[in-house]
């Protein structure tokens, strides 16, 4: 690679790092604002306040743990009535299982989306390399 290209790559990498740091600062501020207002801290609320994506919040371990911590502190534990009938116990158990399955589904979907994005990126770089080498790739629609 040429020195000029390396310099451009370096500047782009630095710009991306600075942009990411700014997003983190914005998200951290967006976590504090609803707390001050006495509102719930959720991924969706922080996303709207900070103007960042859900994926950015979920992929950043520090932000994710802060949001999950504040979210868990705001929800009082659900009390099961002592006189709950068998039917309501079944409903509660099934509701909890559905919530668990939905969580697993969201996590798996997010992982699949990340893998798909990586595959698209790899595909694009391979096509560019083929074009650079003057080799025609498969015909696309």
């Amino acid at each position: 690679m040429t020195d000029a290209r390396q310099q451009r790559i370096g500047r782009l990498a630095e710009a991306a790092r600075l942009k990411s740091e700014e997003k983190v600062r914005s998200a951290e501020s967006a976590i504090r604002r609803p707390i001050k207002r006495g509102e719930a801290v959720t991924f969706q609320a922080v996303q709207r306040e900070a103007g960042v994506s859900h994926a950015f919040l979920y992929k950043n371990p520090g932000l994710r743990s802060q949001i999950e911590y504040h979210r868990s502190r705001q929800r009082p534990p659900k009390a099961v009535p002592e006189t709950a009938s068998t039917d309501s116990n079944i409903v509660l158990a099934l509701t909890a299982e559905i919530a668990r399955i939905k969580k697993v589904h969201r996590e798996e979907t997010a992982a699949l989306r990340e893998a798909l994005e990586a595959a698209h990126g790899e595909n694009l770089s391979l096509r560019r390399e083929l074009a650079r080498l003057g080799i025609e790739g498969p015909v696309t629609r």
Side-chain angles (χ1 to χ4, degrees):
M1 271 193 250
T2 64
D3 287 339
R5 184 169 185 206
Q6 277 300 108
Q7 288 175 347
R8 285 194 310 265
I9 291 170
R11 285 192 301 267
L12 285 172
E14 178 66 13
R17 184 186 63 77
L18 291 173
K19 184 177 180 183
S20 180
E21 288 175 0
E22 177 58 34
K23 283 183 177 182
V24 169
R25 282 192 296 276
S26 177
E28 287 172 343
S29 175
I31 291 170
R32 289 189 297 272
R33 284 193 294 265
I35 293 171
K36 289 179 182 176
R37 293 189 304 253
E39 297 174 357
V41 177
T42 63
F43 283 95
Q44 190 172 21
V46 173
Q47 174 206 2
R48 279 193 311 266
E49 285 271 338
V52 297
S53 68
H54 274 80
F56 179 80
L57 296 173
Y58 278 104
K59 287 180 184 178
N60 186 305
L63 294 173
R64 184 176 185 168
S65 65
Q66 285 182 47
I67 294 168
E68 288 173 345
Y69 171 76
H70 290 296
R71 187 174 61 179
S72 69
R73 291 196 59 201
Q74 293 166 345
R75 290 185 185 159
K78 293 182 181 178
V80 178
E82 292 179 25
T83 60
S85 68
T86 306
D87 288 343
S88 60
N89 284 340
I90 291 171
V91 169
L92 288 173
L94 291 173
T95 302
E97 181 64 11
I98 288 170
R100 186 192 67 76
I101 290 170
K102 283 182 177 181
K103 180 182 178 196
V104 169
H105 179 261
R106 280 191 304 270
E107 291 169 352
E108 289 174 350
T109 302
L112 287 171
R113 282 193 178 121
E114 287 178 27
L116 180 61
E117 288 174 12
H120 281 304
E122 184 178 346
N123 190 9
L124 179 60
S125 65
L126 289 172
R127 286 176 188 237
R128 287 179 178 162
E129 182 65 19
L130 284 172
R132 187 184 68 77
L133 295 172
I135 302 171
E136 261 191 60
V139 176
T140 59
R141 294 179 201 154

